[in-house]
Amino acid sequence: MSVRAAVLDEERRARAALTRVLEPGDERGGRWLRELGAVELLRRLSGPEGRDGGVLGGVTAARLAGYRLRAAGVEPDRDLAAVDAVGGRFVCPGDGEWPSQLDDLGDARPVGLWVRGVPDLRLWALRSVAVVGARACTPYGAHMAGTLGAGLAERGWVVVSGAAFGVDGAAHRGALGAGGATLAVLACGVDVAYPRGHTELIGRIAEQGLVIGELPPSEHPTRSRFILRNRVIAALTRGTVVVEAEYRSGSLVTARSAQRLGRSTMGVPGPATSGLSAGVHELLRGEGVLVTDAAEVIELVGEIGDLAPVRRGPVLPRDLLDPASARVLDALPRTGGMDGRAVARAAGTSTDEALGRLYELHSLGFVERESDGWRLTPVPTHNGDARRGGT
C-alpha cells in the first residue's frame, strides 16, 4: 500500500469513527473537523484529557466529556465490516462518489455517508428531487405523492425521500412501480429498517436504488435525528416538493432548508379546509411554487427547455370561428328566429355580409333555416334535462 493510500485509509477510518462521536448537524464538531482534520480530531478526543491544546474549546466541560466518552468506545473497523456485510460502503468528502452539493451545508455537512446500493451516489444526486410530506396523509396526498414519484422516475429523475409512512412511502413506491430510481435518506443506520412496517420497502430500495444515512450501522433514530436528517435531503437534491404538511411539520423544515440553500421549493395544493394542507398553503404564500405534476416540477429544477405543457381548457367548435362569424352567431337569439336584416343589425354588419356568414354557419351546423329566417341549431338534451348555459 502506498503512503497516500495509507493516509486516505486512515482518514476514512477516522471519519467512520467520528460518525459515532458527532451527532448529525453538529456545527461545532464540524468546525473542529475542518480545522484539525478527522485523524487529528479523533486523536485529541481519544487522548488523555487536557492534551487537546485548548483547541477543542467553546463547549462546557460536561459536553466535552460526552464527546470523549463516545470516542473511547469507537470501533471503526467493526462498523466498516458491518456495512460491507449488507452490501454497503462508507463515502466521505474527497471520494469520487461524494455529492459536492452537501458542502453547501458548511460545518453542518455530514462527516460521511453510509450507503447501501449499487448506483453511484454523486451521479444520482445530480438529477434528483425530494418529495416529502405528512406521515398521516390523506388518500389524496398518497395519490399525489405516488403520481409525482412515478412521473419523475419515468422522466429520468431520482426521487429522494425519507422512507417514512405516508407521503414518503408513496413517493418511493411510485418511483419503484415505474421502474425508476429512488433514494431513501434514513435517520438511523442503513442496516436498520425504520419504521419496521417499511422493512420490505427499504429492502426494495436498497436492491433497486440507494439507502443512505449519516449514522453508523445499528444506530437507532431519535426525534432530533429525524429533523437533522432533513437538511441532507434538502442539500442533496435540486428541489423539494411538499405534499401535505401541517403548520408544525418536519417536511416544512426540509423546505425551509432548501430555501436557505437556494434550492427550488414547491408545494402541492390541497383543500383550503384541510389542516394537512395548511402548512403547504403557507409555504405557497411565501417563496414556494405551486406544482401539480412531474412536468411542472421538472420545469423548475431541470435544464433550459424542460417546459411543462401549456394548460388550457377544451377547444370547442365555436372557438374556431373567425370574429365576424362569431358576431353573427352571437346575434341570433337563444329561442326563436330572426331574418337576415335583423341579424345584420344586431351584428353591426351589412345584410349581404350577414347572409354570407349565416350560410357558412349553416354548412358548419351552427344554424338552421326557419321559413324566411334563421335560428340556432337545437342542442340535443340528455336524460330529458333542459339546455342550460352558453352555447
Side-chain angles (χ1 to χ4, degrees):
M1 180 184 295
S2 68
V3 174
R4 175 175 170 77
V7 170
L8 291 176
D9 186 58
E10 188 179 8
E11 175 77 9
R12 184 179 306 280
R13 290 181 69 256
R15 282 185 173 270
L18 287 170
T19 63
R20 285 204 177 273
V21 179
L22 305 178
E23 279 293 310
D26 184 342
E27 293 191 55
R28 180 172 287 105
R31 178 174 59 81
W32 291 340
L33 185 59
R34 171 171 51 82
E35 293 174 348
L36 299 172
V39 175
E40 178 63 15
L41 175 58
L42 183 62
R43 187 188 70 80
R44 295 195 183 198
L45 288 173
S46 304
E49 190 172 351
R51 297 291 182 87
D52 58 36
V55 174
L56 303 183
V59 294
T60 63
R63 180 74 181 276
L64 187 57
Y67 284 120
R68 291 184 177 281
L69 183 62
R70 284 187 171 187
V74 297
E75 295 183 54
D77 291 331
R78 185 182 66 178
D79 286 336
L80 290 167
V83 78
D84 183 67
V86 295
R89 57 197 178 278
F90 181 64
V91 177
C92 56
D95 288 341
E97 196 179 353
W98 178 257
S100 59
Q101 58 266 47
L102 290 178
D103 299 342
D104 292 347
L105 292 169
D107 288 339
R109 79 172 180 178
V111 175
L113 290 172
W114 301 88
V115 181
R116 284 178 65 192
V118 175
D120 186 284
L121 174 60
R122 184 183 69 83
L123 292 179
W124 269 33
L126 290 174
R127 192 176 169 86
S128 65
V129 177
V131 180
V132 297
R135 286 176 170 79
C137 67
T138 67
Y140 164 77
H143 169 76
M144 290 304 301
T147 301
L148 282 171
L152 289 165
E154 287 168 353
R155 291 164 173 81
W157 286 79
V158 178
V159 177
V160 177
S161 200
F165 289 131
V167 166
D168 289 17
H172 287 306
R173 290 189 181 94
L176 291 170
T182 190
L183 183 156
V185 183
L186 304 186
C188 54
V190 294
D191 59 339
V192 177
Y194 189 90
R196 291 188 181 277
H198 275 177
T199 299
E200 182 180 354
L201 174 62
I202 293 171
R204 286 182 62 199
I205 296 171
E207 290 175 4
Q208 295 180 224
L210 288 171
V211 174
I212 71 171
E214 297 178 77
L215 293 158
S218 77
E219 276 295 290
H220 65 280
T222 63
R223 185 179 183 84
S224 63
R225 287 171 173 178
F226 279 119
I227 297 298
L228 291 164
R229 177 270 309 271
N230 293 340
R231 84 195 192 289
V232 175
I233 294 177
L236 193 66
T237 54
R238 298 276 288 271
T240 295
V241 185
V242 183
V243 183
E244 290 194 326
E246 296 180 294
Y247 286 122
R248 287 174 56 85
S249 170
S251 303
L252 295 182
V253 173
T254 308
R256 295 186 186 108
S257 295
Q259 287 177 339
R260 287 193 296 271
L261 292 166
R263 311 294 197 260
S264 296
T265 307
M266 297 152 277
V268 176
T273 54
S274 172
L276 278 171
S277 289
V280 179
H281 295 162
E282 191 63 25
L283 178 69
L284 294 176
R285 282 170 52 83
E287 299 298 320
V289 178
L290 186 152
V291 293
T292 59
D293 61 18
E296 293 176 350
V297 173
I298 294 171
E299 183 176 71
L300 289 172
V301 301
E303 306 299 332
I304 294 175
D306 289 339
L307 301 178
V310 177
R311 315 294 183 179
R312 61 181 60 179
V315 178
L316 303 176
R318 187 167 186 157
D319 298 332
L320 303 177
L321 295 176
D322 62 83
S325 296
R327 283 200 309 274
V328 170
L329 185 61
D330 286 339
L332 288 168
R334 187 166 301 281
T335 59
M338 292 175 67
D339 61 30
R341 185 182 297 275
V343 172
R345 187 184 307 113
T349 186
S350 68
T351 302
D352 289 342
E353 173 72 10
L355 287 172
R357 297 295 178 178
L358 285 167
Y359 278 109
E360 179 184 345
L361 292 168
H362 180 266
S363 68
L364 294 173
F366 286 99
V367 300
E368 295 178 349
R369 289 294 303 274
E370 185 180 51
S371 62
D372 293 332
W374 299 84
R375 60 172 290 173
L376 293 172
T377 299
V379 177
T381 59
H382 299 280
N383 300 324
D385 292 337
R387 176 182 169 197
R388 299 180 181 181
T391 56

